[in-house]
Amino acid sequence: MALIVQKFGGTSVGSIDRIEAVARRVINAHQQGHQVVVVVSAMSGETNRLLGLAKQIDEVPMARELDVLLSAGEQVSMALLAMAINKQGFAATSMTADQVGITTRGGFNNAEIDKISTESIQSLLDNGHIVIVAGFQGRDNQGNITTLGRGGSDASAVALASALKADECQIFTDVDGVYTTDPRIEPQARRLDVVDFETMTTLARLGAKVLQLQSVEYAYQHQVPLRVLSSFEDDRTTQGTLVQMKSDNQTSIAGIAVLANQHLFSLASQAEKMIWQSGGIASQLWNNVMDETNSSHVVVSDADLAQLKLAHSDELHHIDNVATLSVVGNAATECEQAMLATLAGEGIVVHKVQHLPQCLCLLVAESDHKRAVKLLHAQFVVAGLSEHEPELLAVS
Ligand code: ADP
Ligand code: ASP
Ligand code: MG
């Protein structure tokens, strides 16, 4: 008998039919003799709907009340799933993060899990229950509701798996694993059987939202066995992608991560740029104040736009909608000139280039980014992988 944590994302619980399908999958694991803890996200679109309501009142809503509001989405899913499992004759109990005892630190909206009490879950499991926990939420040491940042149910699942010493943390989503790039942009993307934690961390940081960054970092640090699977397919057809410690197999380029919906602005002065700080990845990548070219330019994500406008409404000049493409792998930097030549050959302008360890980031116009991904993927990712087939390992 194993203890398994299964997490289901928004599209996996997006309708009553989907929730009933999840119930059957969870019951199936339970019937195989496993103890099962399920983590659910809000039904797809629900968190954005709630955020939209808040923004009708205040473009930058109060952080505490925003967390009270957004955490409600997960509570709907957990109750509906518990009802669906009970209806099929199996005992299931849903629990909020507060009921479980998931304590967070680091304030509102982007909190980190600090501690989890496992007693209540363990006693329900020992009594034969399937336990369903609301993802994305926690409580701080003052008793306030907190949330873990967008996509944060992945972090809930990994942290629970670690606290419960689960045999595996299974992230069920709408694709059957981690691909060499977002398969919705490039249908030719390849599924990776295995990806190492360092590569996965870089991919997740730079936009591969199939796994939320904090969940990968947590799993890496606490050595949680982590697997990405599809909730839309039969378990027997694919083993998904296993995220594991480094292995000896190396591929030169593992994949391409994409951060779309970014905006390139110029501010009135370099001083203005230094005043404006955002912890977001776009800002970390492109707004380094030491940067000498385009010195008063800033790149902001959609999420940070309201903050920037609030701080600098008079001095802002919008230049372009942009996207960041990040080519990840130990050969990324050495392929830089060839990549730039490929893109230039197709008339794609690269606004800026940034080097990170085992990663090359390119800032291109939003309107060019899908074409650029397809070109780079065909020429630099697929070509590199075919040397390693049939294993399709991505190890940086
Ligand atoms: P969930 O709601 O289940 O948490 P997400 O939407 O957060 O699902 O993550 C799944 C999505 O991640 C996929 O639909 C896919 O478009 C996107 N994605 C981005 N990069 C990758 C990648 N490298 N491999 C797989 N999926 C990716
Ligand atoms: N519902 C939250 C979101 O949409 C958390 C999650 O889905 O993991 O970001
Ligand atoms: Mg997600």
Side-chain angles (χ1 to χ4, degrees):
M1 181 179 73
L3 196 163
I4 302 171
V5 174
Q6 298 191 325
K7 178 259 170 176
F8 294 89
T11 33
S12 304
V13 294
S15 66
I16 296 301
D17 281 353
R18 292 300 316 151
I19 288 174
E20 286 174 336
V22 167
R24 287 192 291 277
R25 186 181 291 277
V26 169
I27 290 169
N28 191 21
H30 177 77
Q31 285 183 309
Q32 286 168 22
H34 303 311
Q35 293 191 318
V36 189
V37 175
V38 183
V39 174
V40 283
S41 289
M43 295 169 82
S44 58
E46 183 60 9
T47 309
N48 285 342
R49 188 185 74 84
L50 295 171
L51 191 57
L53 292 177
K55 290 196 167 198
Q56 284 179 42
I57 292 174
D58 188 345
E59 191 50 39
V60 184
M62 264 178 83
R64 180 187 185 279
E65 300 312 325
L66 188 61
D67 279 355
V68 175
L69 179 72
L70 298 190
S71 62
E74 273 65 17
Q75 281 174 229
V76 172
S77 312
M78 75 178 194
L80 291 173
L81 180 59
M83 288 175 199
I85 295 173
N86 280 292
K87 174 83 178 165
Q88 293 182 41
F90 294 84
T93 303
S94 67
M95 299 182 86
T96 62
D98 192 22
Q99 289 171 319
V100 172
I102 300 178
T103 318
T104 62
R105 56 170 178 247
F108 298 108
N109 304 165
N110 226 341
E112 262 176 68
I113 294 182
D114 191 19
K115 267 203 320 279
I116 299 186
S117 323
T118 53
E119 294 80 24
S120 49
I121 294 183
Q122 198 60 64
S123 109
L124 283 164
L125 290 175
D126 293 343
N127 284 313
H129 283 235
I130 293 164
V131 181
I132 300 154
V133 180
F136 180 52
Q137 51 175 253
R139 52 160 284 171
D140 67 13
N141 56 14
Q142 323 253 300
N144 295 301
I145 296 176
T146 55
T147 64
L148 308 177
R150 298 307 305 267
S153 301
D154 292 346
S156 308
V158 166
L160 272 165
S162 170
L164 291 161
K165 302 189 173 43
D167 294 278
E168 192 161 273
C169 180
Q170 302 176 338
I171 305 289
F172 284 90
T173 183
D174 55 5
V175 288
D176 64 347
V178 179
Y179 278 68
T180 46
T181 193
D182 187 341
R184 301 200 189 287
I185 296 178
E186 173 50 286
Q188 302 300 319
R190 311 280 192 94
R191 183 172 59 77
L192 304 163
D193 291 338
V194 176
V195 61
D196 73 279
F197 272 110
E198 281 176 25
T199 303
M200 192 64 236
T201 303
T202 309
L203 288 170
R205 173 170 294 123
L206 294 163
K209 68 168 185 158
V210 62
L211 284 175
Q212 188 225 23
L213 173 62
Q214 286 78 358
S215 74
V216 183
E217 290 177 334
Y218 198 100
Y220 190 12
Q221 203 180 340
H222 296 86
Q223 308 211 352
V224 178
L226 184 61
R227 190 180 290 280
V228 179
L229 294 151
S230 167
S231 70
F232 289 77
E233 282 173 26
D234 192 317
D235 311 49
R236 287 160 302 191
T237 57
T238 162
Q239 293 295 297
T241 298
L242 179 68
V243 190
Q244 66 165 27
M245 295 297 154
K246 223 171 176 73
S247 90
D248 293 336
N249 293 291
Q250 305 256 318
T251 50
S252 42
I253 299 208
I256 305 174
V258 182
L259 283 164
N261 299 320
Q262 300 181 311
H263 309 271
L264 181 61
F265 283 94
S266 73
L267 284 169
S269 69
Q270 172 75 350
E272 294 292 342
K273 178 174 163 180
M274 289 169 73
I275 295 165
W276 187 72
Q277 291 291 339
S278 143
I281 181 66
S283 185
Q284 286 170 30
L285 264 182
W286 300 118
N287 303 342
N288 185 340
V289 288
M290 302 304 288
D291 180 32
E292 278 161 17
T293 56
N294 296 332
S295 61
S296 59
H297 287 183
V298 289
V299 179
V300 274
S301 65
D302 261 355
D304 289 336
L305 198 53
Q307 299 268 14
L308 179 72
K309 284 186 172 162
L310 209 65
H312 294 287
S313 56
D314 301 336
E315 305 89 348
L316 279 178
H317 170 60
H318 187 258
I319 299 175
D320 204 355
N321 293 332
V322 288
T324 301
L325 313 186
S326 302
V327 183
V328 180
N330 50 18
T333 302
E334 69 200 50
C335 295
E336 176 177 348
Q337 291 313 317
M339 287 185 203
L340 294 178
T342 298
L343 296 177
E346 295 296 323
I348 296 174
V349 175
V350 175
H351 287 292
K352 281 191 177 202
V353 176
Q354 180 72 276
H355 301 94
L356 298 180
Q358 303 197 336
C359 180
L360 184 73
C361 304
L362 308 171
L363 190 70
V364 300
E366 170 82 17
S367 54
D368 283 336
H369 87 275
K370 291 188 179 168
R371 208 156 51 91
V373 168
K374 285 171 183 289
L375 283 164
L376 297 179
H377 188 269
Q379 202 159 323
F380 298 94
V381 181
V382 173
L385 275 176
S386 52
E387 292 163 21
H388 293 266
E389 281 178 326
E391 310 117 292
L392 285 185
L393 299 176
V395 181
S396 66

